[in-house]
Amino acid sequence: MSTGIEQTPADGETLTEDELEALIGDRAIARDDHMNAPGFVVNPDEVQSVLSDLKERAGYDHLSSVTAQEYEDRYESIYHLKKYADASDEVSVVVPTASDDPVSESAEPVFRTADWHEREAYDLVGIEYADHPDLRRILLPETWQGHPLSKGYDQEKPQVVTLSEHANPLESDHRESGGESDTMFLNIGPHHPATHGVLHVETVLDGETVVDVEPDIGYLHRCEEQMCQQGTYRHQIMPYPDRWDYVSSGLLNEWSYARAIEDLADIEVPEYAQVIRTMGAELCRIASHMLALGTFALDVYGEFTAIFQYTFRDREVVQDILEDLTGQRMMFNYFRVGGVAWDLPEPREEFFEKTRDFLDELPAKVAEYNDMVTSNEIFQTRCIDTGVLEPEVAKDYGCTGPVARGSGVDYDLRRDDPYGYYENLDWDVVTRDGCDNYARVLTRMEEVEESAKIIQQCLDLLEDWPEDDREVQANVPRTLKPDADAETYRAVEAAKGELGIYIRSDGTDKPGRFKIRSPCFSNLQALGEMAEGEYIPDLVASLGSLDIVLGEVDR
Amino acid sequence: MSSDEPETRPRQTIHDSTAPSTDTRDSRIGEGVDDRFNSKLREAFGASPFILTKFDEFMNWVRGNSMFMLQFGIACCSIEMIHTYAIKHDVDRYGAGVPRASPRQADVMIVPGTIVSKFGPRMKRVYDQMPEPKFVVGMGSCTISGGPFQEGYNVVKGAEEIIPIDIHVPGCPPRPEALIYGILKLQERIQNGESSPVVVKPYELEQFGDLPEDELVQKLADEIDEDDLVMRYNWADSP
């Protein structure tokens, strides 16, 4: 499974572009190729048939993202499709709809994950999807007026928000007595210790069993896409990615934007900078997985004193190293378009020594975690065979990252769609077949060890790098203006999964549309599948094992 | 006991004024069976085991040294807030230790992150549930002004639009050291009996009567239950 080996093609399903064109046939009214993938323009009433053909007959089983945008004369939904077997094989389906009647067929019957993605498109841009099972606002309050990312939206308009959902759950109208069951409605969050931020989960309970789960998000929707659309490519966008997934995954997020813009503007990053990026990103992954483990232990057996504090002790060490490297503890803003901001801190030996000390101590710490957490009987009782997510279901919901890999879906963009320096290093993709909460935790812990292996190799490389070849930034023009109507969707493997960026250039120095595909957004959607029919403590465990960050879910 | 003279500490006055009477008492009770009363504290207080102060001052001192924080994570700053509670920075040293999960048990609320329109009423509700007296630390630039997201269509331009804030800690996010400094400043303020007056912002339903009847208010007026918490964000007037 080493990345040095060429990716094997999917089992006889890979179609060439001509075959794809033949498959779609007359339903494609035009071509609209993106820089990352061929794009087919499809009529709004043929979305389902085209997508199901692409899924069933061409093997595009991963709907990464749905981008919606408004042009002067039309609305447009773009379905970014990939294959779980080969992430570099992509295709886009572009669906234009008229400005005065933006109705398009929903993709939800083909891909479950389209449910939330289309609700977001409806909420922010205002495209309506026919056949959608539940088309209502997802990020903004129900009472919101207007669609903020559509043209002609007046941001100054006052808005009214009510808090009526938090009525007393024990009131008689919240009890539905029908037949034998006597269900109760229960609000969890948005201010609740187990929701990892400001998530609101509406649950229906039958006794202690969860009958229905409906995550209600949007309590941290801070207009990240609007912020990025207002910033110039060169410097003003890079600080924002740090704040999407704020669990110290800053560099991983920055990389997603860096990768997209470098692809769009055709910038070659120096190899030395790529090694530094790889090392920094993996340090971030360790910090992020440590927090995931600590908070999960906190959720599952209320362990505030030992495990939680131990993981935070280790995070402090990582944050110290990253602070030495980038100058900041959390919001690094260290990547630049075409490289990184500066070289390793001087004296370099000290930095190497500090990082190596951390790596040397890591195996003992991981062993300690295994002693205390994963081999703990209470922990195992809570985690094994709870929150089961079958691989097919995970794929249908577009799950990626440790959540998918814990369900045996072998999908890791670092290997499947190589970027940075990963393909020259020796490491393995961790997958587990347990499909339960326990498997997801173990996947993260093993990924920490793999990350340590990567950092070790990067350190070796950096130490021996010739002094006159330490180029940290490519030569990038002061003002970046990619060609008008250039479009690309680029993703990296962030701590939580596939973090993708879609950018459409409109010929100016700011993006025309900037869309973030967040891994947590898709992963969280699968919560219902994992928790329904289980006990309510297992719901909390499942939520913890998904390791969501609300900043990234809501953006 | 005159409070005008800064040098005259209450303890000093007590010591001086009670000196003769302890002589009498000491001669009556003699050495005693053991020296359990001769603690360090007693040495510091003088012979009298009592200390005279105003009850308010005493309560402020107690409050300042035993702050029950609310476990309230919103955004990025909450990660640094957890680091402040955790190993290395350990805010428990200042009597502000393990965060309480319920607002009904908390005295101090740290607002760690961006407040967006949907979360505004929730935060107000959590704040309302805290018992008086309550204090708020605004952590990070977002709670001051909206921070890097100030121009966002959905972002409340500072938590002070919704609840009164005692201490602002700037930074994006503030380092744990900065948050500790903010907490200590709050302690100081509580001990000195200072805190923000409680401000009720005009977003309760009855206030709608004064507003110009626009389309939106009209549309919602029928649907809104009188017990609901309603917020009207007037983005044009925001800073």
Side-chain angles (χ1 to χ4, degrees), chain A residues 124 138-141 143-145 148 153 155-166 190-191 193 197-198 200 216-224 226-227 230 240 243 246 304 308-309 312-313 315-316 319-320 323 328-331, chain B residues 70-76 78-80 82-83 85-89 98-99 101 103 114 116-119 121-122 125-126 142 148-149 151-155 172-173 175-176 208 214 216 219-220 224 228-236:
Chain A
L124 300 184
I138 185 166
L139 295 175
L140 292 168
T143 51
W144 200 265
Q145 307 293 304
Y153 173 75
Q155 206 179 313
E156 305 278 276
K157 192 162 79 173
Q159 301 280 355
V160 170
V161 178
T162 62
L163 182 59
S164 49
E165 293 102 304
H166 270 205
H191 163 236
V198 282
H200 175 202
D216 173 26
I217 61 175
Y219 293 97
L220 195 54
H221 174 56
R222 38 189 188 180
C223 330
E224 302 273 12
Q226 181 203 16
M227 293 295 111
Q230 287 176 359
Y240 284 102
R243 289 159 180 84
Y246 47 72
F304 190 76
F308 188 75
Q309 303 284 353
F312 271 77
R313 171 199 65 192
R315 270 176 58 86
E316 282 287 348
Q319 284 194 320
D320 268 356
E323 191 184 347
Q328 259 274 29
R329 277 170 60 89
M330 274 176 72
M331 304 306 175
Chain B
L70 175 65
Q71 181 176 353
F72 191 56
I74 303 178
C76 334
S78 58
I79 304 296
E80 285 297 65
I82 300 171
H83 274 277
Y85 289 133
I87 277 179
K88 186 171 173 183
H89 298 100
V98 181
T114 321
V116 303
S117 68
K118 201 172 175 180
F119 195 65
R122 316 277 160 153
R125 174 59 55 92
V126 171
C142 291
F149 307 102
E151 289 165 15
Y153 50 80
N154 193 31
V155 175
C172 189
R175 297 176 62 90
F208 273 82
D214 65 16
L216 185 58
K219 183 172 172 294
L220 289 164
I224 293 170
D228 280 358
L229 187 58
V230 179
M231 271 189 201
R232 187 175 199 276
Y233 294 103
N234 217 345
W235 301 117

Side-chain angles (χ1 to χ4, degrees), chain A residues 112-247:
Chain A
R112 265 302 281 134
T113 182
D115 181 352
W116 278 21
H117 284 281
E118 286 177 349
R119 274 177 70 189
E120 186 193 325
Y122 163 72
D123 191 358
L124 300 184
V125 184
I127 302 177
E128 284 170 39
Y129 294 91
D131 291 349
H132 192 283
D134 185 22
L135 194 66
R136 58 198 164 85
R137 292 195 180 269
I138 185 166
L139 295 175
L140 292 168
E142 300 264 324
T143 51
W144 200 265
Q145 307 293 304
H147 302 279
L149 291 184
S150 62
K151 292 199 182 296
Y153 173 75
D154 177 16
Q155 206 179 313
E156 305 278 276
K157 192 162 79 173
Q159 301 280 355
V160 170
V161 178
T162 62
L163 182 59
S164 49
E165 293 102 304
H166 270 205
N168 183 359
L170 295 176
E171 268 174 32
S172 54
D173 59 335
H174 278 76
R175 285 173 173 274
E176 292 164 23
S177 331
E180 289 175 6
S181 78
D182 180 17
T183 59
M184 188 178 99
F185 178 75
L186 181 67
N187 279 310
I188 306 176
H191 163 236
H192 187 276
T195 53
H196 291 221
V198 282
L199 171 68
H200 175 202
V201 188
E202 296 163 4
T203 43
V204 178
L205 304 179
D206 180 4
E208 243 189 300
T209 312
V210 178
V211 183
D212 187 44
V213 176
E214 174 68 45
D216 173 26
I217 61 175
Y219 293 97
L220 195 54
H221 174 56
R222 38 189 188 180
C223 330
E224 302 273 12
E225 288 174 10
Q226 181 203 16
M227 293 295 111
C228 291
Q229 278 166 214
Q230 287 176 359
T232 54
Y233 292 111
R234 188 71 175 86
H235 290 298
Q236 290 180 353
I237 294 177
M238 201 56 100
Y240 284 102
D242 289 319
R243 289 159 180 84
W244 302 340
D245 175 0
Y246 47 72
V247 189

Side-chain angles (χ1 to χ4, degrees), chain A residues 254-264 417-419 490-492:
Chain A
E254 285 171 26
W255 208 336
S256 68
Y257 168 62
R259 191 173 187 204
I261 184 63
E262 279 153 15
D263 190 44
L264 199 66
D417 185 12
Y419 58 96
R490 275 300 187 202
V492 298

Side-chain angles (χ1 to χ4, degrees), chain A residues 396-417:
Chain A
D396 206 19
Y397 278 93
C399 293
T400 48
V403 175
R405 290 194 287 273
S407 291
V409 179
D410 191 8
Y411 181 79
D412 189 325
L413 292 175
R414 291 175 289 174
R415 177 202 58 197
D416 299 344
D417 185 12

Side-chain angles (χ1 to χ4, degrees), chain A residues 344-357 459 462-463 467 470:
Chain A
L344 302 180
E346 292 289 346
R348 291 164 68 93
E349 296 72 34
E350 226 167 80
F351 177 79
F352 290 130
E353 201 190 320
K354 194 171 179 178
T355 317
R356 280 193 201 283
D357 280 351
L459 284 175
L462 291 171
E463 224 165 8
E467 203 166 339
R470 290 180 191 161

Side-chain angles (χ1 to χ4, degrees), chain A residues 491-530:
Chain A
V492 298
E493 186 72 25
K496 318 286 191 272
E498 176 184 340
L499 175 62
I501 304 294
Y502 165 87
I503 301 179
R504 174 174 61 85
S505 164
D506 57 1
T508 63
D509 58 351
K510 294 175 182 175
R513 178 78 172 99
F514 192 98
K515 159 84 187 165
I516 307 157
R517 187 267 184 209
S518 135
C520 297
F521 184 78
S522 298
N523 291 352
L524 178 60
Q525 242 192 110
L527 179 67
E529 297 285 340
M530 294 156 66

Side-chain angles (χ1 to χ4, degrees), chain B residues 46-57:
Chain B
S48 163
F50 302 110
I51 175 169
L52 280 184
T53 178
K54 289 187 198 132
F55 188 66
D56 275 2
E57 272 177 26

